[in-house]
Amino acid sequence: MDNAIKLEGLVRDFGGTRAVDGVSLQVPSGQVLGLLGPNGAGKTTVVRMLATLLVPTAGTARVGGFDVAREAARVREIIGLTGQYASVDEKLTGRENLILIGRLLGLKRRDARARADALLEDFDLRDAGQRPAQTYSGGMRRRLDLAASLVGRPRILFLDEPSTGLDPRARRDLWERVRQLQAEGTTVLLTTQYLEEADALADSIVVLDQGRVIAAGTAAELKARVGARSLHVTVIDPAAAARALEVVSRVSGQTVQADGEHLSVPAPDPALVPAVLRALDAAGIDVAEMGLRGASLDDVFLSLTGHGAPAGNAAEDAA
Ligand SMILES: Nc1ncnc2c1ncn2[C@@H]1O[C@H](COP(=O)(O)OP(=O)(O)OP(=O)(O)O)[C@@H](O)[C@H]1O
Ligand SMILES: [Mg+2]
């Protein structure tokens, strides 16, 4: 299988900061790669280099076989990009935005209109298409962004945090679109902060931290490295927390993490849930909340780096 995207030792500096520090990865044609990482990991910087919006400081990247630095114009012909921040013209209607992009891509007026209307229909924006983009909700705007990146029928699509700011239903809809595109043979590189999203969409996942690849594999492989699920219990009465800890330790036979009235413990066997609930009930301890959780991005980080995902964008916060 040939690679639609191939990076070798890609580096990007901003002044003294190395935002991307030697990233190598590949995406076979027709596959979806999830680039996963916390704020400031370098995801957007990688995407911007692949979309020819930023020149690499060192290393190489090929998109559709073309070098992003030396053959940028060829790359632009075959890619679509939905940036992290909305890129449409606020004053224009959704339809006008899409027509404008079609015209910029060299479509005839009539073809640009037809393409715009088909995309509006596809993205449930037929009525909204007549209104200025500034009147759109976050979810509608995100859909318009995605539609805009598809006007040129790209073979390779970059989606930078496509579902950030979407409600759960809009997120599911967007996932459905991405799956459709994949079924049509489009290669997709998407960035996300959510393991769940990468898990739902990606054939393979690359985890970035501080500009470097710290893990790569399928969702199942990463989860296997992170370990199984954990059981979380919150008791109603903080005074009962110590007793609850005893009970959960005894029943699970594992080390329990405690944080006030909140307890968590590894739960490789889901049968632990009813067992713990019965034991707590027998001990007269009331439970406010209880459930199994799959590995989160935080768990991935903890397991891969020995530290949790840094909260927020440290570099930005400090600036
Ligand atoms: N134009 C720029 N000038 C200076 N520093 C930059 C610039 N763009 C990005 N950086 C820095 O590069 C690092 C990586 O940023 P990047 O935007 O690629 O991260 P990200 O993974 O997309 O984060 P987020 O999840 O917040 O979108 C950060 O430390 C950021 O401050
Ligand atoms: Mg980003």
Side-chain angles (χ1 to χ4, degrees):
M1 210 179 320
D2 61 330
N3 285 314
I5 301 170
K6 187 166 167 60
L7 282 62
E8 275 175 305
L10 201 64
V11 171
R12 173 68 203 206
D13 291 337
F14 291 109
T17 317
R18 184 147 286 193
V20 174
D21 191 6
V23 169
S24 300
L25 60 84
Q26 51 236 334
V27 191
S29 284
Q31 293 217 348
V32 178
L33 177 87
L35 195 57
L36 184 69
N39 289 142
K43 304 181 297 293
T44 296
T45 307
V46 167
V47 166
R48 287 173 57 81
M49 285 191 277
L50 296 180
T52 76
L53 298 174
L54 266 182
V55 179
T57 303
T60 58
R62 291 187 160 273
V63 172
F66 302 114
D67 185 282
V68 295
R70 286 182 289 107
E71 300 167 292
R74 305 297 301 273
V75 172
R76 277 183 222 126
E77 283 169 13
I78 56 169
I79 63 164
L81 167 68
T82 300
Q84 185 169 3
Y85 304 103
S87 48
V88 298
D89 188 326
E90 299 280 312
K91 300 245 163 14
L92 299 181
T93 67
R95 185 166 186 267
E96 286 164 349
N97 265 295
L98 297 181
I99 293 172
L100 177 69
I101 291 165
R103 296 287 284 159
L104 289 173
L105 288 171
L107 295 183
K108 292 200 179 74
R109 192 177 304 273
R110 184 157 28 102
D111 296 338
R113 282 197 201 122
R115 184 79 183 127
D117 289 334
L119 284 166
L120 289 172
E121 186 77 45
D122 236 25
F123 282 85
D124 251 350
L125 289 170
R126 201 154 52 109
D127 298 333
Q130 314 303 325
R131 299 203 327 248
Q134 61 195 357
T135 68
Y136 285 22
S137 73
M140 291 160 73
R141 198 170 291 234
R142 221 58 199 119
R143 296 209 298 275
L144 181 61
D145 273 338
L146 186 55
S149 68
L150 297 177
V151 171
R153 300 178 198 277
R155 273 168 41 208
I156 299 171
L157 184 63
F158 301 111
L159 304 174
D160 196 3
E161 296 198 24
S163 72
T164 298
L166 296 187
D167 66 31
R169 214 201 90 192
R171 178 167 297 174
R172 298 271 153 197
D173 285 351
L174 180 118
W175 289 2
E176 216 27 66
R177 307 275 172 215
V178 173
R179 290 197 185 101
Q180 264 172 33
L181 288 165
Q182 187 194 18
E184 290 160 13
T186 310
T187 305
V188 180
L189 185 151
L190 68 91
T191 77
T192 180
Q193 298 189 29
Y194 309 111
L195 182 63
E196 186 203 2
E197 180 159 84
D199 192 6
L201 295 177
D203 297 297
S204 61
I205 296 174
V206 167
V207 185
L208 272 194
D209 184 29
Q210 296 174 17
R212 296 186 184 189
V213 175
I214 59 165
T218 63
E221 283 164 359
L222 288 180
K223 282 188 184 161
R225 285 177 65 173
V226 173
R229 299 153 183 270
S230 53
L231 170 66
H232 295 252
V233 181
T234 307
V235 297
I236 290 177
D237 179 7
R243 273 196 304 133
L245 185 117
E246 258 175 55
V247 171
V248 177
S249 304
R250 175 168 49 78
V251 176
S252 67
Q254 310 235 31
T255 309
V256 181
Q257 305 276 331
D259 178 10
E261 57 269 36
H262 179 78
L263 308 174
S264 65
V265 66
D269 181 0
L272 186 63
V273 180
V276 165
L277 191 58
R278 275 196 300 271
L280 287 171
D281 187 44
I285 299 169
D286 292 324
V287 170
E289 220 179 297
M290 178 161 169
L292 280 177
R293 269 187 223 155
S296 65
L297 177 55
D298 228 30
D299 299 328
V300 174
F301 267 80
L302 204 55
S303 148
L304 295 174
T305 66
H307 64 83
N313 188 331
E316 240 168 35
D317 292 347

